[in-house]
Amino acid sequence: MNPTSFEATGIDRAWIDKLAEYGITEPSPVQAQAIPAVLRGADVLARSQTGTGKTLAYLLPVLQNIDPELKATQKLVLAPTQELGMQIVREAEKYGEVRGIGVLGLIGGAAIKRQVEKLRQHPQLVVGTPGRVRELIEMRKLKMHNVSTIVVDEVDQVFQLGGAGDVDRILNSALRDRQLVFLSATVSDSTAALVKREMRSPVEIGIDPEQTTAPGLEHLYVVAEERDRIDMLRRLIRQYNPQRAIVFVNQTESIAEVEAKLNHLGIAAEGLYGDADKLARSRVLSGFRHGKFKALVASDVAARGLDIEGLELVINFDPPPDAEHYVHRAGRTGRMGRSGSVVSIVTDRQIFIMRKFAGELGISLEPRVLYAGKVLTSEQLAARKGEPSGQPRQRQVRPAGSQAGMAEVRGSRQAEPKPAKGSTRGASTLNGPREDGVRRDGREPSRQGGEPFKGGKPAARQSQSERERNRKNKGAPKWLKNKPPRP
């Protein structure tokens, strides 16, 4: 039976009181299972949906197992991205101050010389990205001989970002009997192989293994033509009107374009770039958290591990490349039991991707239509238009195109009098022929063959030599045409 209170998990009263200050009074399911296992020193593989409290599930017992009197690095936490690393540092500092535990972040992209100087203060807990931690270990600036616990958060993402080799080097530099704690929303084959190779009788924790996303999420998709996707994005943000929303794109090159177009349309937006320096990224995230702009445009790498409190809406401007990326994108909202919406914009040819994700993840991923300022189901749309539910919309046909209309047109044409022989349909009445066969303008009408009329009888046919001469003289001066032929 899982503990139903933090006292039952074995957490000290000092941290229970600290948790109460932030309104956390009961452990989440993953915390209830992971905290006792980590406290007793067991290797742990925890799989749980993003946003279920995994950070505190390992951070609280790790802090409790630190000896504040020993001025040396005792615990190490690895994170795949700068943002997730800094987020863990903030949480560790907040709860570590209860016992005066020193915390240091070793994040890639920051000044390494300053990090080396802070390592001389002997922080008991180090949080860092794999590349920077490995670099400092090889420089012999980060001592690993007292490190008894290594935590790898979002381990699958660490491997996807090419950190598998760094993790191996870090594990080999630590004590042989060190404790390993791996956490992720998904467990790939690479992670499973590492667990089998490095862990000793690990405690496997799977919270609702069939439920890959938080239960409070609403999964929807809307269909738009390629050229209309930006306008659909604008309409979705206007309709949901969230305080904050994250817009995901697949390519880093698309961030600036989407950001610029949203700002042009009157929606305050900024882009989060994975290759930006630490200060620029911190500025953007701080502005987003404080509501200085509504939409954060980011790629999967840039936004992995972000924890934005109260985030209501996630929009996939580009469909995720696979179901795992969908899980991590969706995990930015609906955290810790809250509700949230995940809306994907797809074209007709991409609808099958939504069906694929729904099947692989076991979720209900439903289509929606934006109509008259509302997000409607197909049944609601049909009801609004007065059409039978479940039947395709019938295209309205103009009366002129109906069979009755065409019959009327044909009848009117048959009722019209036939034009006189030799005239042209639709000709002006001014130049139309009279009953005597003479045009009203005094010119004689021509027959279809081109022979002029004289007194109602055809003139004598021209000889072949005359026709040939006229053809040759065509376009010649008048005096030359009137010149009599030579005898």
Side-chain angles (χ1 to χ4, degrees), residues 30 118 134 250 328 353 382 391 398 409 469 482:
V30 68
K118 290 186 176 181
R134 173 185 174 179
N250 288 346
H328 286 287
I353 300 177
Q391 295 184 6
R398 298 180 63 182
V409 172
R469 184 172 64 252
N482 296 332

Side-chain angles (χ1 to χ4, degrees), residues 385 387 393-399 401:
K385 295 186 175 183
E387 299 170 355
R393 180 185 175 189
Q394 298 296 324
R395 183 179 177 184
Q396 292 185 347
V397 182
R398 298 180 63 182

Side-chain angles (χ1 to χ4, degrees), residues 2-4 6 9 24-35 48 51-57 207 336-337:
N2 295 335
T4 58
F6 281 108
T9 64
I24 304 174
T25 57
E26 295 182 358
S28 68
V30 68
Q31 293 166 357
Q33 291 191 34
I35 289 175
S48 181
T52 54
K54 292 198 300 292
T55 301
L56 289 181
I207 305 302
M336 294 303 293

Side-chain angles (χ1 to χ4, degrees), residues 62-80:
V62 162
L63 289 171
Q64 186 164 312
N65 285 338
I66 288 177
D67 180 4
E69 302 300 323
L70 177 60
K71 300 301 179 182
T73 301
Q74 303 170 44
K75 311 290 181 182
L76 173 65
V77 178
L78 299 176

Side-chain angles (χ1 to χ4, degrees), residues 7 10-20 64 98-99:
E7 290 91 342
I11 291 295
D12 288 351
R13 171 56 58 179
W15 279 290
I16 294 175
D17 294 339
K18 190 69 174 179
L19 289 167
Q64 186 164 312
V98 172
R99 297 225 176 139

Side-chain angles (χ1 to χ4, degrees), residues 214-470:
L217 289 183
E218 179 185 44
H219 303 273
L220 308 171
Y221 70 89
V222 293
V223 180
E225 294 185 14
E226 182 67 29
R227 62 185 179 183
D228 296 330
R229 290 196 305 143
I230 282 289
D231 185 62
M232 178 62 75
L233 175 61
R234 174 193 63 82
R235 294 172 63 193
L236 286 171
I237 295 177
R238 294 292 192 198
Q239 172 59 35
Y240 281 93
N241 194 27
Q243 291 185 348
R244 289 177 293 273
I246 294 183
V247 179
F248 280 100
V249 297
N250 288 346
Q251 303 296 330
T252 302
E253 295 77 10
S254 302
I255 294 177
E257 178 184 358
V258 175
E259 174 193 354
K261 289 182 177 179
L262 284 177
N263 282 302
H264 177 72
L265 294 170
I267 297 175
E270 286 205 35
L272 183 66
Y273 296 87
D275 57 353
D277 59 67
K278 179 182 175 182
L279 291 178
R281 292 164 65 88
S282 297
R283 177 191 61 79
V284 172
L285 288 175
S286 176
F288 188 54
R289 286 190 172 96
H290 290 89
K292 293 183 178 179
F293 56 93
K294 185 183 289 285
L296 178 69
V297 185
S299 63
D300 292 282
V301 173
R304 178 59 67 99
L306 288 183
D307 185 6
I308 308 297
E309 185 176 355
L311 184 69
E312 306 165 61
L313 179 64
V314 167
I315 300 178
N316 293 318
F317 183 74
D318 295 319
D322 52 45
E324 182 180 345
H325 283 82
Y326 185 94
V327 169
H328 286 287
R329 290 185 183 186
R332 301 311 103 206
T333 184
R335 302 176 73 85
M336 294 303 293
R338 298 184 180 91
S339 61
S341 299
V342 183
V343 185
S344 302
I345 301 175
V346 298
T347 63
D348 285 331
R349 296 184 177 183
Q350 294 171 332
I351 294 177
F352 80 95
I353 300 177
M354 301 293 101
R355 299 194 184 110
K356 177 183 176 183
F357 290 165
E360 292 181 0
L361 302 176
I363 60 177
S364 176
L365 221 168
E366 301 178 355
R368 288 292 185 269
V369 179
L370 266 66
Y371 179 79
K374 300 292 183 181
V375 180
L376 306 175
T377 64
S378 57
E379 291 78 8
Q380 291 171 333
L381 178 64
R384 283 201 169 212
K385 295 186 175 183
E387 299 170 355
S389 177
Q391 295 184 6
R393 180 185 175 189
Q394 298 296 324
R395 183 179 177 184
Q396 292 185 347
V397 182
R398 298 180 63 182
S402 64
Q403 292 184 357
M406 294 301 293
E408 292 177 3
V409 172
R410 288 195 296 267
S412 63
R413 289 179 178 175
Q414 292 174 358
E416 292 177 358
K418 293 184 178 181
K421 188 176 181 180
S423 65
T424 303
R425 182 183 296 272
S428 170
T429 56
L430 174 64
N431 295 328
R434 294 195 319 222
E435 294 180 357
D436 57 1
V438 180
R439 290 167 56 100
R440 297 181 186 273
D441 58 359
R443 296 170 59 191
E444 295 178 346
S446 299
R447 304 183 75 179
Q448 188 173 359
E451 298 176 298
F453 279 92
K454 290 186 178 179
K457 295 182 180 181
R461 292 182 176 273
Q462 293 180 331
S463 65
Q464 185 175 358
S465 60
E466 290 177 340
R467 290 198 301 272
E468 182 69 16
R469 184 172 64 252
N470 290 337

Side-chain angles (χ1 to χ4, degrees), residues 99-141:
R99 297 225 176 139
I101 295 173
V103 180
L104 175 61
L106 301 179
I107 309 300
I112 194 170
K113 290 184 178 180
R114 187 171 182 181
Q115 292 176 349
V116 170
E117 293 175 359
K118 290 186 176 181
L119 280 171
R120 294 170 183 166
Q121 300 175 8
H122 306 292
Q124 285 104 346
L125 174 62
V126 167
V127 181
T129 50
R132 178 53 56 90
V133 169
R134 173 185 174 179
E135 185 178 4
L136 289 169
I137 290 174
E138 293 177 346
M139 292 172 62
R140 300 184 181 275
K141 301 300 181 182

